[in-house]
Amino acid sequence: MGSGRSSGRETASGSTTGAPPVAIPVSLGPVLHHLTLWVPDLGRAEPAWRWLLEELGYRLDPVVERVLVFRHPGGFAMALEQSPDMVPGMLYSRLRPGVNHIAFSLDSPSRLEAITAKAADNGWFLLPVDRHPIAGGASVAYLEDADGFEVELVAPGA
């Protein structure tokens, strides 16, 4: 007989089958395809956003003209485009109706630390960290660029 161990899969009744576990595909449902930010000055925004998005695994798509499109291997794209409707002196404010911030997932707290350690040298200001219920116990950092766009970086809790 055997050792009492089974190499099969346990069924709902507690018995085992000889079949290996079956991978069940998980549908994420509709996910974002891309996000376009209209910035007041594309030349000013490019260095900070290029650095951050490349740190996050995005690559600039050189095919698109007059718009910076950064594509991630997972399929999502971020685009930066200079707004044609800027009023002199008008700045973006995340406190007005519209997008407050963009949050990116990171794979580890050490990756979060590495990015935040270099953020100030690459056009980003670190904002105070408050407790945010959406992050659910994760490690977070908040960055803001020269135009006031905020990015939240979220890593699994340590």
Side-chain angles (χ1 to χ4, degrees):
M1 297 280 206
S3 64
R5 294 183 184 166
S6 170
S7 61
R9 187 172 40 129
E10 190 171 307
T11 65
S13 66
S15 64
T16 58
T17 68
V22 176
I24 299 172
V26 176
S27 172
L28 298 177
V31 296
L32 291 176
H33 179 269
H34 72 275
L35 179 67
T36 300
L37 295 180
W38 279 21
V39 298
D41 184 323
L42 190 58
R44 180 175 62 219
E46 180 178 358
W49 281 97
R50 177 189 291 258
W51 172 81
L52 180 62
L53 292 171
E54 287 179 352
E55 286 288 315
L56 297 173
Y58 289 74
R59 295 295 170 251
L60 182 63
D61 183 344
V63 175
V64 184
E65 294 182 27
R66 296 188 317 271
V67 177
L68 298 174
V69 177
F70 295 88
R71 298 189 188 279
H72 191 272
F76 182 71
M78 279 282 302
L80 278 73
E81 185 173 358
Q82 187 158 323
S83 173
D85 192 27
M86 288 304 299
V87 175
M90 183 178 89
L91 297 176
Y92 168 78
S93 173
R94 67 180 179 279
L95 301 177
R96 291 187 189 130
V99 174
N100 176 270
H101 67 275
I102 302 165
F104 291 97
S105 295
L106 301 176
D107 58 1
S108 69
S110 62
R111 189 74 188 115
L112 177 67
E113 290 174 20
I115 291 174
T116 56
K118 298 183 284 183
D121 292 335
N122 289 283
W124 293 94
F125 305 99
L126 282 168
L127 298 174
V129 175
D130 58 354
R131 293 169 42 150
H132 199 289
I134 297 173
S139 298
V140 298
Y142 299 98
L143 307 175
E144 183 179 60
D145 77 351
D147 292 315
F149 288 99
E150 181 182 335
V151 169
E152 179 180 355
L153 302 175
V154 183

